[in-house]
Amino acid sequence: MNVVGIAVIGKQNNPLYLPQKLEYHYLAHCCLDLMESNENYLGLLTTMQDVAVFGYQFNRYKIMIMTKLQDTITRDQEMIKAFKRIHLLVLRVINNPFYDPDSTEMIQSAMFERELSKMLTV
């Protein structure tokens, strides 16, 4: 699984963490409308050019993982494992007593950035 971008969207559809590349910002915003479901793991949301976007949501927070399209199949279990890892990272940030969970500002945590950058393969 070649992860090229990760996006975390807050309760008010505000970005808490966005990928560096502008094209992935666009993909994240386009996929917000597709993330209205009662399920946590939403699976493949869309593909554009050579990137596939997978979605996951919990408590009105949304997470998207962008991967390079490849000839091999991306298994749902791999994606669920990655989403649960990010889910736990987000929970660690929003459960911090110094973080305002209703904040519309981007997450600014060195630990969060470091752990997410380990998941990226670019």
Side-chain angles (χ1 to χ4, degrees):
M1 174 172 59
N2 292 328
V3 178
V4 295
I6 298 170
V8 179
I9 309 299
K11 292 183 194 180
Q12 301 158 2
N13 284 337
N14 56 303
L16 297 178
Y17 181 84
L18 285 174
Q20 297 295 327
K21 284 191 168 183
L22 189 59
E23 67 184 280
Y24 302 144
H25 284 241
Y26 173 74
L27 270 173
H29 287 288
C30 288
C31 289
L32 280 178
D33 291 336
L34 302 173
M35 297 187 75
E36 299 300 325
S37 174
N38 293 332
E39 301 294 320
N40 283 8
Y41 177 65
L42 303 171
L44 179 66
L45 297 175
T46 190
T47 59
M48 183 178 276
Q49 296 173 351
D50 62 342
V51 178
V53 183
F54 294 84
Y56 181 90
Q57 62 187 1
F58 67 98
N59 294 348
R60 295 177 29 211
Y61 287 89
K62 299 171 179 83
I63 302 170
M64 289 171 253
I65 294 179
M66 292 104 181
T67 63
K68 283 280 186 195
L69 283 176
Q70 43 191 336
D71 291 336
T72 61
I73 298 171
T74 302
R75 306 220 183 277
D76 280 343
Q77 292 305 320
E78 292 176 43
M79 292 306 297
I80 291 170
K81 184 178 175 183
F83 278 120
K84 288 190 178 194
R85 187 170 160 199
I86 298 168
H87 182 166
L88 289 175
L89 289 172
V90 172
L91 286 178
R92 285 173 71 187
V93 169
I94 63 177
N95 286 331
N96 182 330
F98 299 108
Y99 180 78
D100 177 14
D102 295 322
S103 173
T104 58
E105 295 184 20
M106 301 282 275
I107 293 175
Q108 306 216 349
S109 165
M111 176 274 307
F112 187 77
E113 292 273 342
R114 185 175 53 251
E115 293 298 318
L116 285 185
S117 67
K118 287 180 188 177
M119 295 180 74
L120 298 174
T121 55
V122 174

